[in-house]
């Protein structure tokens, strides 16, 4: 066993096993299938917590793979003409673009509604 085969950081909670045929079973990543746009229930809101007072449009509630989330985030960023990010089931769009984002999402067939003030 060389250094490349050392995966001890991925073994959360395993200390030692005396069994000679023991094989650690990794918890599988949930490969969440992306729901169709009509079944998605997205919330569009304005957020400025922990962002030095800067406003961001936050889209949350996306259920699906990271690739599909990033693709939707790219679409929204292009339509609004601003930057942002897409990770952990949330899409951040820089600035207050709630109305534009809501319009783009409904045109794309997503179930989206404005949330918050």
């Amino acid at each position: 066993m060389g250094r490349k085969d050392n995966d001890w950081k991925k073994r959360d909670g395993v200390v030692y096993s005396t069994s000679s045929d023991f094989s650690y079973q990794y918890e599988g990543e949930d490969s969440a299938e992306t729901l169709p746009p009509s079944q998605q229930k997205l919330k569009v809101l304005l957020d400025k917590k922990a962002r030095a007072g800067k406003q961001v449009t936050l889209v949350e509630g996306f259920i699906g793979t990271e690739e599909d989330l990033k693709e939707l985030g790219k679409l929204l960023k292009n339509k609004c003409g601003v930057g942002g990010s897409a990770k952990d089931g949330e899409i951040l769009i820089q600035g207050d673009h709630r109305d534009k984002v809501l319009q783009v999402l409904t045109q794309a067939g997503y179930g989206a509604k404005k949330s918050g003030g």
Side-chain angles (χ1 to χ4, degrees), residues 74-89:
K74 186 176 181 180
L75 170 74
L76 293 174
K77 291 187 289 184
N78 285 338
K79 293 289 185 179
C80 295
V82 295
S85 68
K87 60 183 174 185
D88 301 329

Side-chain angles (χ1 to χ4, degrees), residues 6-110:
N6 191 357
D7 58 352
W8 63 272
K9 289 183 180 181
K10 296 177 188 174
R11 296 182 184 189
D12 218 12
V14 173
V15 179
Y16 183 75
S17 174
T18 57
S19 175
S20 61
D21 59 341
F22 178 76
S23 171
Y24 183 76
Q25 299 295 321
Y26 295 101
E27 290 183 20
E29 291 291 321
D30 291 338
S31 58
E33 289 192 21
T34 304
L35 291 177
S38 59
Q39 293 180 1
Q40 296 276 1
K41 304 248 189 285
L42 303 177
K43 291 192 288 187
V44 179
L45 53 114
L46 186 68
D47 189 27
K48 53 185 169 178
K49 293 179 185 167
R51 303 188 205 299
K54 308 269 183 185
Q55 296 178 338
V56 295
T57 303
L58 184 63
V59 180
E60 51 184 32
F62 184 84
I63 300 172
T65 62
E66 280 293 315
E67 292 84 31
D68 292 334
L69 177 71
K70 290 183 183 200
E71 188 176 315
L72 179 60
K74 186 176 181 180
L75 170 74
L76 293 174
K77 291 187 289 184
N78 285 338
K79 293 289 185 179
C80 295
V82 295
S85 68
K87 60 183 174 185
D88 301 329
E90 294 181 340
I91 300 172
L92 296 170
I93 305 294
Q94 294 174 351
D96 185 3
H97 298 282
R98 288 176 290 182
D99 297 327
K100 180 73 173 172
V101 167
L102 194 61
Q103 178 185 5
V104 170
L105 286 173
T106 52
Q107 284 177 352
Y110 285 92

